[in-house]
Amino acid sequence: MSSEGQGKATAHAKPEAEKSEALAVYHAMWRDLTVASRTSDPDSPWLDDHATGGALELLKYGLKKSKREGVVSKGAPQVDPKVVSATSRRVVLVDCVDDRHWLLYKLNGELKNHVPGGHLKTDAAVQRMKGAWKVTDLFMHGTGSC
């Protein structure tokens, strides 16, 4: 095989590794959020491990809102992201987050309301920054959007 052919094979294999890394970071971001939401802690030291920019601000905004309302989350969301596009520096994902088993509870243990969770279309971008992948953009559409 010529060195040109080897370069093409390497270039093809590389995006697969980057997609895997980006997907792993996206999953880790949700785990970090799940842990922080158990106490509605917007200052959780784990939040910025896998998120930055607008995505990090959205996570903190939601946690601050929950803290003001005196609610915490129990359970965990189910995520199953799909890669929409990928380059060596940015991977765009789409997901249908299932939060039916990740509900808000008052501090006394009662459900905040009787509104069931649902499925939310979620768009995300994961970028390589200073050698590490982080979720930079996160947009969650309304319940029932997927």
Side-chain angles (χ1 to χ4, degrees):
M1 181 183 272
S2 72
S3 61
E4 182 180 313
Q6 289 174 352
K8 286 182 181 177
T10 302
H12 180 68
K14 190 174 181 184
E16 291 307 314
E18 291 162 341
K19 288 176 188 178
S20 289
E21 289 177 41
L23 288 166
V25 166
Y26 176 82
H27 280 276
M29 178 206 68
W30 281 104
R31 284 190 302 273
D32 296 343
L33 178 59
T34 300
V35 171
S37 71
R38 291 178 189 151
T39 58
S40 295
D41 182 7
D43 299 317
S44 169
W46 295 289
L47 291 176
D48 66 358
D49 286 354
H50 302 102
T52 191
L56 179 60
E57 292 307 311
L58 179 63
L59 300 180
K60 287 184 174 190
Y61 172 81
L63 291 166
K64 286 176 185 174
K65 183 175 184 269
S66 291
K67 190 170 206 94
R68 276 193 313 272
E69 294 175 0
V71 295
V72 296
S73 295
K74 294 183 182 181
Q78 299 298 310
V79 298
D80 186 22
K82 307 290 184 244
V83 174
V84 174
S85 65
T87 67
S88 62
R89 304 206 44 85
R90 181 177 168 92
V91 177
V92 176
L93 307 172
V94 66
D95 197 354
C96 184
V97 175
D98 179 351
D99 71 353
R100 293 176 298 164
H101 302 287
W102 192 43
L103 301 175
L104 293 172
Y105 287 80
K106 298 176 189 175
L107 297 178
N108 66 6
E110 294 177 16
L111 272 170
K112 175 187 174 191
N113 55 41
H114 295 288
V115 178
H119 294 88
L120 301 92
K121 180 181 180 208
T122 302
D123 299 304
V126 187
Q127 289 185 210
R128 184 188 305 268
M129 307 176 79
K130 299 177 185 174
W133 288 96
K134 291 203 177 193
V135 178
T136 57
D137 301 294
L138 187 66
F139 183 80
M140 299 183 71
H141 301 259
T143 300
S145 53
C146 59

